[in-house]
Amino acid sequence: MTDRAIELTLTLNGTERTADVDPRMLLVEALRESFGVTGPKVGCATGDCGACTVSADGAIVKSCLTLAAAAQGAHVTTIEGLGADGALTDLQQAFWDEYAFQCGFCLSGMLFAAQDLLDRNPHPTDAEIRTAISGNLCRCTGYDNIVSAVRRCSAG
Ligand code: FES
Ligand code: FES
């Protein structure tokens, strides 16, 4: 931490939180190291894998490409904030039922990308699902089970 630390206040998973952060800190670093929220992972730190994905003011954000300071005043949701009162969302339950994750490193990005698709397009084709999750890398599942989980949540 430099002596130029800034006070960062954001609404994190529904609760207003404040921490002193280095102005050069990335959002994923601030979430993990200053706020103790470890769902977002650092896979590549270059924007390619999606493991660090969060929602900021409703937009999907790769938090390894975002300065923490840019989230000043934002409503940030991480994977920890997806379900209400510890309950799984329908999409999380579908991932569980379809064995759509193993190590879970990709899970934040997959869930945010898939939910964003379902919110925009409740009846996605498999091709649309694959396009929607294409910014997220999974080294474990081979992707088919992830597509099945998202299809399970399709309203069609
Ligand atoms: S760690 Fe951010 S996209 Fe890979
Ligand atoms: S479940 Fe391991 S990277 Fe996707």
Side-chain angles (χ1 to χ4, degrees):
M1 184 76 62
T2 71
D3 57 6
R4 297 182 301 138
I6 59 169
E7 187 176 85
L8 174 64
T9 299
L10 45 75
T11 302
L12 180 56
N13 297 327
T15 301
E16 187 170 296
R17 303 276 305 275
T18 297
D20 291 333
V21 302
D22 189 303
R24 299 165 299 182
M25 208 171 201
L26 298 171
L27 179 57
V28 67
E29 296 172 325
L31 291 172
R32 293 178 58 84
E33 298 168 20
S34 301
F35 293 105
V37 173
T38 57
K41 312 294 188 196
V42 180
C44 63
T46 54
D48 295 310
C49 77
C52 63
T53 303
V54 302
S55 168
D57 290 334
I60 303 302
V61 168
K62 289 183 175 175
S63 60
C64 75
L65 297 181
T66 307
L67 285 172
Q72 187 72 267
H75 287 252
V76 175
T77 303
T78 68
I79 189 172
E80 288 91 341
L82 288 180
D85 298 326
L88 300 180
T89 65
D90 289 347
L91 187 59
Q92 286 176 307
Q93 186 64 53
F95 269 62
W96 177 268
D97 292 338
E98 295 288 344
Y99 304 100
F101 61 94
Q102 292 176 33
C103 77
F105 213 80
C106 67
L107 198 51
S108 286
M110 290 296 181
L111 288 170
F112 278 110
Q115 190 62 60
D116 181 63
L117 170 67
L118 291 167
D119 290 344
R120 291 181 287 107
N121 175 7
H123 311 280
T125 64
D126 283 8
E128 288 169 333
I129 294 170
R130 289 182 186 278
T131 297
I133 64 172
S134 62
N136 302 272
L137 301 180
C138 178
R139 61 189 171 187
C140 303
T141 66
Y143 300 98
D144 285 349
N145 291 28
I146 295 172
V147 174
S148 297
V150 181
R151 191 191 308 123
R152 183 187 275 245
C153 287
S154 165

